[in-house]
Amino acid sequence: MNEPLILAGLTTSPLELISFLLAVTTVVLNIRQKHWAWLFSIASSATYAVVFYDARLYGDMGLQFVFIAASVWGWYQWLHGSGNTPLVPSFLKASGRAWSLAAWLTGFVLLSTFLDNFTDTDVPHADGFLTAGSLVGQLLLAKKKVENWHVWIAVDILYVGLYLYKGLVLTAVLYGVFVLLAIAGLRTWSALARKAA
């Protein structure tokens, strides 16, 4: 399933292509607040775990398993909300933003230290930083916080460079598309959050 495949001049694999399509579907459905996005997220994460393992991006590989668990939780959150109240897009308070940044920084230190000392990755700091940011973004997404899109914009821009460096060109293109989709998500959810407030 990982034999080289040339698609529009890009070298990829069938598994990376499938992962790409599942991931784009996930984000489009997230923007539209369709709970089925979480099912596509689970499938995309499972296939990308294999792609990232092959590329020795172990932080990203491990992140996919966390994404699967977070997707189950996010799916439940989107279906059942907080108690009997459905979740709607909302903004974080200042304390929530501070906690999110602190969690990102702490995750970065822990993950990059682990990756540097216990794996053969050649990009422990980049992998750790982006993995920690992705975890924060995923948790904010599950709670329908508008700021999840800010996190994804920052992370996705940096992932483009990392994936180009690792030779995952189609995945780099995907993350470029993700930047554009995250900007659209930010605009859509910001308007909904202002309207709800």
Side-chain angles (χ1 to χ4, degrees), residues 21-40:
L21 296 171
L22 290 168
V24 168
T25 303
T26 298
V27 177
V28 169
L29 291 172
N30 278 335
I31 292 169
R32 299 181 70 199
Q33 298 184 72
K34 302 294 183 188
H35 68 88
W36 291 109
W38 297 105
L39 177 63
F40 285 90

